Structures are given as structure tokens and as C-alpha cells.
Amino acid sequence: MSSGSGANDGHAEQSALYQQQLSKIGEVRASLGQLSGKSALYCSNGSVARYLVARNWDVKRATKMLKKTLKWRSEYKPDEIRWDDISDEAATGKIYRSDYFDKSGRSILVMRPACQNTKKAEGQVKYLVYCMENAILNLPPGQDQMVWLIDFAGFTLHNISLHVTKLTADVLQGHYPERLGVAILYNAPRFFENFWKLASPLLEKKTKNKVKFVYSDSPETDKIMEDLFNMDELECAFGGRSPATFNINDYAARMREDDTKMPLFWSPENPALASEPYLMNNHGSQQCSLGLKTEETASDKGEETETTSDKVEETETASDKREETVTAPENSGETKTALGESGEAETDSVKREEIKTGFEKGETETGAEKKEETKTESSTVKLTSSPGEGVASPDKSGSSSDP
């Protein structure tokens, strides 16, 4: 067979898959019925495709997921949150959008959990939603993903809340599918690995596969970061060469300017929200057949195709049960409220009991237990990414899909 014939066959296969995908998008549209206003704008072909990818091109599940998002957006109104609504949350720079992008053109959200300055989960989640909407607003044409840079400098057990983690996972996985490209956990302390074991079941497998543990004393770190970022732009805190630091006044001015752009973003005149044909090649060739996974077993599918919120409706997660059944120890005077309006409270001592930190157990574990409980700090997860609306530039590190 000639090379020309092979190329034609490949093109024909891509065209056929593209038509199948458009057909699936059409089925979701039909299931949604007549939409108007922002809901209609939100459901562009690219947006519908993200929900289909998150649910492995299962029309029924994707439609259910998208309907929940439309209901949530109509009630929560994430695009109407403004800087003055959340400025108190932003004061310490615990989350902010950098003024540079990664090499693939993705927005970057810098997160510093040690800079947590509030106690109510509701306010913390609202600020994260604001940051997500702002990052999406600032995505360049052809890109719809972002990068999270999480700096663990100064991080302690006091900064951990399973409740906030669960709420965050519910919102991000349920209403922002295919938005995360990669999450860099930079210099996470040893005890965080134990918390990760409790928190990771709240995440879907595709999301977990986008998490990379990176350590400044690892020989692999320089290459990982250099592959992703322009080191002259990257902050020194992450091994880059930029001396820039967070300045609340400068950041507030940037955000207020962005706030004026948001209404224009959510208008029929915005071509980014137009219902343009979805380009199949954005999702990569690994989507060999619709409705089928290429790397997972049927049992994995059952686990992954439900959002965290779906699971919560049917049964309590293990972490929820821990929160409800663990009683405060004798030194309850140290109780520190870390939750929202529900009135629930977590104590530092309860957190320590839940997390079972390596600090408390490390000296008594056998070598075999340590090997099982604590992975080497230099281990990393394969970097994945996924497409956006329009024609996305190929990610230098490969492509995949995620919630």
C-alpha cells in the first residue's frame, strides 16, 4: 500500500470518528431541549464535548452531568462573582492567576494553602470558583485548560480540611470538566502523602492522573518544570528565575479590569461561545471508539463515570463517615472551625487522627510498611492534557482527557 493510500485511510478514519462525535453532541443537545440565555451560550459544541469526554462519550451520563451544571450555574451564578465579593479571601495570595502562561498557552493558577486566611468553606469555594472563571476568561483562542501550581511552603496539618477538599472536588469535577491540564504539587511535605491517600478517592481516576508531585531536590524537577514553563517567567518559589511576588494591590487592579470583561465574554457576540463544529483532532487519536475506554476495565468505568456528587447521593464517603464518627479528644480546647455555614467543626487533633500522619507512625512502622505507605518523593505521574474548543495547539507533554 502506498504512503498516500495509508494517509487517505487515516484521514477517512478520523473523518468517521469526527462524524460520530458530532452525532453524540447532537444527541446531548436533543436531550437538553430548548435552551436560552447563558445556558444556550454555555452549551457550545466544544463545551458539550468536554462533558462527553468526561463521561467517556456516554450520552446519557454526559447529559445528566451537563444538566446539573446548567442548574448549578443558574443558581450559583459563577460568572457574576466580582472582585469585591471575594477580595477578603484573596488578601494573602492563597490563590491567584499568574500574569504568564505555560508553554502550551494554558492559564496558571498559583495556590499556596499555607496562606489560608479564612475559616468558612463556603467563602473558600466561592473564591476558587471566581479564580476558575477568571482563568477561563483569560484563556487564549484554541486553549481551554489551565495549570495549577501548588506551593507547599509553610504547609502544616492545620491547613488540611477534608471537608473543604470534598466540596472543592464536587465543584471542579462536576462543573468544570476537562479544564485541568496538570496540577503540580511542589515540595509537598511527607505527611501530605497520608492525606492524599484519604483525599484521592474523592477524585476521578483521570483527575488523579494529572497530579504530579515535584520536589526541588529531585534531579527530575528541572526537566519537568522546564518542559512546562518558560523559566524566565516562572517564579523563584517554583525553581524559576523570575523574582516577581504576589502584590495584592496590583492583583486587585488586574481582577477589577477583568471583571469589566466578563459580561462581554458571556454575550452572543463572543465568538468563543459560538456553537462552532467541534474539531475531533483536539482530543487525540487515543479515542479509538466512542463509549469505550482504552486503558480501563469495566469495573474502573463504573467507578469513574459517576461524579463525586453522584456518589454522595447514594452513599457517604469514607472521609464523611470519619468526620461524623470521630469524637474530639481530651484537648478539645484546640478546636478550630474550618467549615462553612453548616456549623460543623474540625479540630486539629481530629485531623491528625484522620490523616494518621507519618510523623506519628514513622518510627514504629516496619520497612515493608514504610515502603507501602510512603512512596519516594521523586515519583511523578505521567503528564496528561486535553483539548479545548477550536483548534488547540498540541501539548508538548502529550494529551488525554480529564474531569
Side-chain angles (χ1 to χ4, degrees), residues 159-170:
N159 302 123
I160 290 179
S161 169
L162 279 173
H163 179 71
V164 173
T165 300
K166 176 181 172 297
L167 292 179
T168 298
D170 288 347

Side-chain angles (χ1 to χ4, degrees), residues 25 29 40-49 272-276 389:
I25 291 172
R29 287 188 181 284
L41 290 173
Y42 185 80
C43 292
S44 66
N45 282 356
S47 185
V48 173
L273 295 180
S275 187
E276 76 285 355
E389 298 177 14

Side-chain angles (χ1 to χ4, degrees), residues 44-270:
S44 66
N45 282 356
S47 185
V48 173
R50 283 197 296 275
Y51 284 80
L52 281 164
V53 171
R55 291 295 170 261
N56 302 289
W57 294 92
D58 184 308
V59 170
K60 183 177 179 181
R61 290 181 180 276
T63 302
K64 178 181 178 181
M65 183 183 185
L66 183 49
K67 283 182 177 179
K68 287 184 176 181
T69 292
L70 294 178
K71 183 175 185 295
W72 174 78
R73 293 191 71 90
S74 68
E75 296 173 350
Y76 199 86
K77 302 185 185 304
D79 58 290
E80 295 182 15
I81 302 173
R82 296 293 180 261
W83 174 256
D84 290 337
D85 300 326
I86 47 77
S87 58
D88 289 345
E89 294 282 345
T92 60
K94 62 185 178 184
I95 307 177
Y96 61 91
R97 180 180 61 80
S98 70
D99 58 0
Y100 58 93
F101 301 87
D102 81 337
K103 289 183 177 180
S104 296
R106 296 179 290 197
S107 294
I108 300 170
L109 287 183
V110 176
M111 302 180 178
R112 292 193 163 93
C115 294
Q116 182 59 262
N117 61 328
T118 61
K119 295 180 179 180
K120 289 189 175 181
E122 179 182 292
Q124 294 170 22
V125 172
K126 185 175 183 178
Y127 180 51
L128 177 61
V129 168
Y130 174 82
C131 292
M132 291 292 293
E133 294 287 316
N134 180 268
I136 293 169
L137 170 71
N138 284 278
L139 286 169
Q143 181 57 266
D144 74 343
Q145 286 196 315
M146 63 191 70
V147 174
W148 290 2
L149 267 177
I150 306 175
D151 181 7
F152 280 87
F155 185 85
T156 69
L157 288 174
H158 296 78
N159 302 123
I160 290 179
S161 169
L162 279 173
H163 179 71
V164 173
T165 300
K166 176 181 172 297
L167 292 179
T168 298
D170 288 347
V171 170
L172 296 180
Q173 293 184 150
H175 306 308
Y176 293 95
E178 297 298 318
R179 287 300 191 184
L180 178 63
V182 61
I184 301 293
L185 276 59
Y186 198 79
N187 284 339
R190 183 70 58 88
F191 70 80
F192 183 81
E193 295 173 5
N194 295 278
F195 171 73
W196 178 247
K197 290 175 183 177
L198 290 177
S200 58
L202 301 175
L203 305 178
E204 297 181 9
K205 185 176 180 181
K206 288 181 288 187
T207 301
K208 287 186 285 187
N209 286 344
K210 293 192 172 188
V211 174
K212 293 176 68 69
F213 283 81
V214 175
Y215 298 89
S216 57
D217 58 356
S218 167
E220 300 176 10
T221 297
D222 289 342
K223 178 170 174 50
I224 291 171
M225 303 303 277
E226 287 176 2
D227 285 347
L228 287 171
F229 307 103
N230 182 328
M231 301 305 285
D232 290 330
E233 297 176 334
L234 186 65
E235 298 168 45
C236 294
F238 297 103
R241 292 186 284 270
S242 173
T245 57
F246 177 78
N247 181 290
I248 184 59
N249 294 325
D250 293 343
Y251 192 66
R254 284 174 56 200
M255 294 302 101
R256 286 196 173 96
E257 181 180 355
D258 283 351
D259 284 352
T260 65
K261 302 175 185 176
M262 190 63 77
L264 298 176
F265 182 82
W266 285 100
S267 70
E269 287 73 30
N270 181 8

